[in-house]
Amino acid sequence: MLISPSLLSADFGNIQRDVEMLNASAADMIHLDVMDGVFVPNISFGFPVIKAVQKHATKPLDVHLMIVEPQKYVSQVRDCGADIMNVHYEVCPHLHRTIQQIKQAGMKAAVTINPATPVSLLEDIVADVDMVLLMSVNPGFGGQKFIPGTIKKVKQLRELISASGSSAKIQVDGGVNMETGAQLAQAGADILVAGNFVFSSPDPIATIQELHNL
Ligand code: DX5
Ligand code: ZN
């Protein structure tokens, strides 16, 4: 299982220390949650913070944009050192164009759907993306409870990916711990995002390793 720890739950006063911890861990990438207070009811951090993280990170940066009009920021996200640019289905009326722009900028392109957005809506875009992120909580906050219906969505997405010949990876974000992580692994998820579970652990490096072994 690939693991993308979310920096949203890191200690922002010691961000370099926490990034170095992730560098030394079994994390496969680093998940960065950008929130605008419009698409989601919270504001997190923006491009200057991602640039600061990039200076210290030795793992790929997985940037999850919970913002309206993400297409306006493709080149800025790339210039921050992002490897994966992830936009929400719910804010992209011209999703195909946005996905092409992300790829043309040299990044991997990913699309995210909220818990209330059905997997079937991805039918005509799944072959074009490198990754699909299924939100297993309503986006905006770390430390929320996993929504169990996500398991069924992972299975539906796995079928849609196989049927379309897509090589998209399935990522899941929100409420991931050993128990929900095991269920997601069983259902066919490829990448787990984990924030609170990793950073509230007494030994985050061991916790990342345990998730990685799922
Ligand atoms: C929620 C964010 C998540 C968040 C996950 O809006 O997209 O990435 O950090 O947090 P946990 O793992 O604490 O549920
Ligand atoms: Zn996220």
Side-chain angles (χ1 to χ4, degrees):
M1 179 63 74
L2 301 179
I3 305 301
S4 189
S6 168
L7 271 189
L8 190 61
S9 295
D11 175 355
F12 290 153
N14 287 291
I15 202 142
Q16 180 178 352
R17 181 199 66 192
D18 283 359
V19 170
E20 284 169 355
M21 179 279 287
L22 295 178
N23 289 344
S25 78
D28 298 280
M29 54 192 93
I30 300 178
H31 188 83
L32 293 141
D33 288 301
V34 177
M35 302 180 188
D36 66 353
V38 178
F39 177 56
V40 290
N42 197 10
I43 297 176
S44 56
F45 52 77
F47 303 127
V49 173
I50 301 177
K51 274 190 190 150
V53 167
Q54 199 247 341
K55 268 198 215 159
H56 303 291
T58 58
K59 313 254 173 171
L61 301 185
D62 163 33
V63 177
H64 176 196
L65 296 169
M66 285 161 275
I67 65 173
V68 296
E69 303 186 321
Q71 72 280 1
K72 286 185 180 172
Y73 306 102
V74 173
S75 56
Q76 278 190 75
V77 171
R78 192 260 326 276
D79 292 346
C80 285
D83 297 90
I84 305 171
M85 176 167 165
N86 199 335
V87 298
H88 268 259
Y89 177 88
E90 297 83 5
V91 293
C92 291
H94 304 290
L95 182 59
H96 184 271
R97 178 187 291 148
T98 303
I99 294 296
Q100 304 311 318
Q101 286 170 342
I102 294 170
K103 290 178 169 177
Q104 276 157 18
M107 294 178 284
K108 288 189 175 162
V111 63
T112 303
I113 57 172
N114 276 338
T117 303
V119 165
S120 57
L121 289 175
L122 299 174
E123 187 179 339
D124 292 336
I125 197 69
V126 75
D128 292 282
V129 297
D130 297 293
M131 184 173 87
V132 175
L133 168 52
L134 299 177
M135 287 308 302
S136 41
V137 297
N138 287 295
F141 303 92
Q144 301 183 81
K145 199 170 170 296
F146 182 81
I147 297 172
T150 313
I151 300 294
K152 184 188 76 187
K153 292 177 82 173
V154 172
K155 293 179 186 163
Q156 290 171 340
L157 180 57
R158 179 54 66 208
E159 279 179 26
L160 183 64
I161 287 172
S162 310
S164 68
S166 163
S167 54
K169 298 264 188 243
I170 302 177
Q171 187 180 53
V172 183
D173 184 6
V176 167
N177 54 35
M178 288 310 291
E179 192 189 341
T180 57
Q183 293 168 19
L184 290 164
Q186 172 81 21
D190 300 300
I191 309 168
L192 300 179
V193 176
N196 185 57
F197 185 62
V198 164
F199 284 96
S200 67
S201 158
D203 187 347
I205 290 198
T207 299
I208 293 167
Q209 186 62 56
E210 282 168 32
L211 287 168
H212 193 66
N213 294 344
L214 278 170

